[in-house]
Amino acid sequence: MSTAPTQPSGITYAFAGVDTAAGDRAVELMKASVAATMTPAVVGGVGGFAGMVDVSELRSYRRPLLATSTDGVGTKVAIAQAVDVHDTIGQDLVGMVVDDIAVTGARPLLMTDYIACGHVVPERVADIVRGVAQACAQVRTPLLGGETAEHPGLMAPDEYDVAGAATGVVEADRMLGAERVRAGDVLVALAASGLHSNGYSLVRRVVEHAGWALDRHVPGLGRRLGEELLEPTRLYSALCLDLVDAIDPAGADPAALRVRAFSHVTGGGLAANLARVLPAGLVGDVDRASWTVPAVFDLVRTLGSVPWDDLESTLNLGVGMVVVVAPEAVDEVLRQSAAAGVPAWVLGSVHGAEGYRSRGRVVAGTKGVDGGAVDIHGSYRTV
């Protein structure tokens, strides 16, 4: 544990609460993890003012489009801080950022991260960055740079927050999205690993209201509550891009791609995020009974008496990504997902809005997108 510096004759940076030596130690501790993410395209090493990648290969693109995304992990960091486990939150960050790029069909080129904290504890910062780096390696993305900022007086000594940004590239005529979706397409769900990184303000409030400690063993979960709440976000980008390459390999007619779109289920829940990748005039028909809601979601519901509609509009309920795909490609999606260890199933289908009769809750116009709609109906199955 560090001790407060003795006041010198004049005010120094250290006395103001910023320990630059601790920052340097944190960099030394994380260097090996970061270096392991580097690819042959990376120019330079750790410690430069800016990270660089060689994009000479983009000269072979007919019309390369850069895709970019930035995000954090919300109040899930409060759980990490409470249980003093910091090496999983980095995977959540990568999932929130890189997977958003992959939904366009873009291959990630690089990622950067930012950690703000009240006081630099080198081992803690290194744990966070190690988690980011290990996840970047899984999704074949170099962690090209980052920043750790010490904010004494603004944040408590043990407080921190994390954010990240990533950039990727996709050939313009192979970009995925709502404009490719058509009636008759099939919705395939890729299972979530747990709560992922959204809705933790609700989850934390429910746990607080119930008076449950994070070290409480929960038989229905098979582990301590804190361990369940820190389960890292599943990473989908490598699987999604592999699906595109297998089903619609380079050279395929860009106008006839069978993988139409991906929907990353983050804040707002399944229906709201799926509606973002459907065009006006189409409806995604989703059957709630097509999967069993994992135990942690039902625990949140019962502990807090949370209405199903509110739960559905906040949490992923077990669906982390949706693949919108032509019917003839469904079997390949299911096969490759199983091979990658990701449970997948048919969630529903896409229909023309004209003449369609809703059977449940209709969601449209979310996230500022004026597009299609999702009709989510039936009853959830719980463990």
Side-chain angles (χ1 to χ4, degrees), residues 97-106 108 176 236-238 240-241 262 321:
V97 175
V98 175
D99 284 352
D100 273 1
I101 286 176
V103 301
T104 68
L176 306 180
Y236 299 98
S237 60
C240 289
L241 296 176
F262 294 107
M321 185 76 79

Side-chain angles (χ1 to χ4, degrees), residues 9 63 90 137 164 219 244 261 268 275 302 308-309 329 339:
S9 56
R63 186 186 169 207
V244 171
T302 55
W308 272 115
D309 279 359

Side-chain angles (χ1 to χ4, degrees), residues 78-213:
I79 305 295
Q81 292 161 17
V83 301
D84 197 25
V85 173
H86 312 282
D87 60 353
T88 62
I89 208 78
Q91 179 167 324
D92 295 293
L93 183 62
V94 174
M96 291 299 99
V97 175
V98 175
D99 284 352
D100 273 1
I101 286 176
V103 301
T104 68
R107 176 175 58 85
L109 295 171
L110 60 95
M111 179 165 174
T112 59
D113 64 4
Y114 177 83
I115 303 169
C117 57
H119 174 67
V120 170
V121 178
E123 294 77 12
R124 180 188 300 153
V125 172
D127 278 350
I128 297 169
V129 175
R130 184 173 69 252
V132 176
Q134 289 174 345
C136 278
Q138 288 184 54
V139 298
R140 308 188 288 258
T141 305
L143 180 58
L144 204 55
E147 171 70 5
T148 300
E150 198 167 22
H151 292 164
L154 184 63
M155 303 176 77
D158 289 330
E159 287 183 347
Y160 65 81
D161 199 6
V162 296
T167 299
V169 63
V170 62
E171 187 72 76
D173 60 10
R174 287 178 63 85
M175 183 179 69
L176 306 180
E179 64 280 359
R180 293 194 180 275
V181 180
R182 60 194 69 171
D185 286 344
V186 179
L187 307 173
V188 178
L190 303 182
S193 56
L195 291 163
H196 285 187
S197 301
N198 297 103
Y200 272 77
S201 293
L202 171 64
V203 173
R204 290 170 51 244
R205 183 68 184 90
V206 166
V207 171
E208 179 186 0
H209 175 76
W212 282 27

